[in-house]
Amino acid sequence: MDFEAIYDEIARHARMDTGNTAHLANLKYWVNRAQDDVYAANPKWWFLKDEYTLTPVVGTRRYAFPATNVDSEAYPLALLDTDSVRVGTTSPLRYVSTDDLDNYDWDWVIEANSTGSPFWYTITGTKLALSKFPSAEWIAANPTIYIRGWSRLADMSEKTDESRIPDGWRQVLSEGGLWRAFRERGDSDWKDQRALFYNKLEEMKALCRSGHPMSGPVRAPLPFQFTGRRGSNVRD
């Protein structure tokens, strides 16, 4: 179910014309805002989990979060899994929160201004900061830092674009776009449609919490059907 299929479905139910430039712009905007709602409901959806790498540089301690994953896909890292940072496959770097640094500020200053083998790190804004400036010897033995985390849901623009939301769940974007279409049109049913959308989000979250296969690597589609109500001003 690509971008075009989603906004076409909304257009059919809301009696909008995708050949109308203004209608099409609104439809696309509403689908992307529904996607934002899905992200806001849980920035750690399992389908946003990605693997990333950083290449350490001699004399550089702070590194921006990666803009692409290990498959070179443009899914920038938004949230870091702090337990996942490793050099090689078996040597973790210990995470120290900035709150913890308040307990040993002097040790942090000493570490941060020295060169050698980093053994812990912290997060400052959207950067990963190593405990030491990595030495050439350390980088020779550890040319890559491996991390995992969660990417953002990017806006769709082209008709063939596909959301990272698994296909079996993308119907929720139709629900989220339709209540906005109803509200824009002044339809009295828009609040009911919005409630359906947020109920669907709760279903998704509950399934993830319950250990449903859709919360893990198995990506079988869920039996979601379009439940949007046609507005009171719309005729079949």
Side-chain angles (χ1 to χ4, degrees), residues 135-146:
S135 65
E137 293 76 15
W138 185 83
I139 289 177
N142 305 283
T144 305
I145 298 173
Y146 299 91

Side-chain angles (χ1 to χ4, degrees), residues 14-235:
R15 295 294 190 265
M16 296 179 70
D17 179 10
T18 57
N20 180 299
T21 302
H23 284 195
L24 182 59
N26 280 334
L27 289 163
K28 289 182 174 182
Y29 178 77
W30 294 331
V31 172
N32 282 319
R33 299 298 69 77
Q35 190 173 239
D36 288 344
D37 290 339
V38 174
Y39 180 79
N42 182 9
K44 293 184 179 181
W45 290 111
W46 66 268
F47 49 80
L48 298 178
K49 194 73 175 284
D50 264 317
E51 295 185 353
Y52 299 86
T53 58
L54 287 175
T55 301
V57 177
V58 174
T60 300
R61 196 167 60 81
R62 290 184 171 87
Y63 299 86
F65 282 1
T68 58
N69 62 17
V70 293
D71 296 321
S72 299
E73 297 169 320
Y75 299 135
L77 177 66
L79 294 171
L80 178 69
D81 179 353
T82 55
D83 293 328
S84 74
V85 180
R86 283 173 166 35
V87 287
T89 57
T90 58
S91 302
L93 287 174
R94 184 166 62 91
Y95 171 66
V96 177
S97 74
T98 51
D99 289 339
D100 291 336
L101 294 178
D102 292 336
N103 298 323
Y104 44 94
D105 280 348
W106 184 244
D107 289 341
W108 165 250
V109 170
I110 293 173
E111 281 283 296
N113 288 285
S114 62
T115 299
S117 300
F119 65 93
W120 57 272
Y121 76 96
T122 191
I123 300 297
T124 57
T126 57
K127 290 191 176 183
L128 183 150
L130 298 174
S131 60
K132 292 184 179 183
F133 292 100
S135 65
E137 293 76 15
W138 185 83
I139 289 177
N142 305 283
T144 305
I145 298 173
Y146 299 91
I147 59 181
R148 292 178 180 171
W150 295 268
S151 60
R152 292 191 180 278
L153 282 168
D155 277 5
M156 295 176 283
S157 57
E158 301 301 322
K159 61 174 63 177
T160 56
D161 287 349
E162 295 198 6
S163 173
R164 295 203 74 184
I165 299 170
D167 195 44
W169 282 11
R170 287 180 200 163
Q171 201 72 57
V172 74
L173 299 179
S174 299
E175 302 276 7
L178 189 60
W179 77 256
R180 289 173 164 89
F182 283 179
R183 182 180 63 177
E184 177 74 13
R185 194 178 56 187
D187 195 300
S188 60
D189 281 347
W190 75 268
K191 290 183 180 179
D192 292 335
Q193 178 60 39
R194 183 179 62 177
L196 287 171
F197 168 69
Y198 283 106
N199 286 341
K200 188 63 62 66
L201 283 184
E202 290 304 314
E203 287 180 37
M204 292 170 65
K205 290 161 67 175
L207 284 170
C208 284
R209 288 193 299 266
S210 69
H212 188 280
M214 284 297 287
S215 66
V218 179
R219 301 194 179 191
L222 286 175
F224 280 172
Q225 300 296 326
F226 190 75
T227 55
R229 294 176 56 188
R230 287 181 171 83
S232 57
N233 298 325
V234 177
R235 294 181 180 178

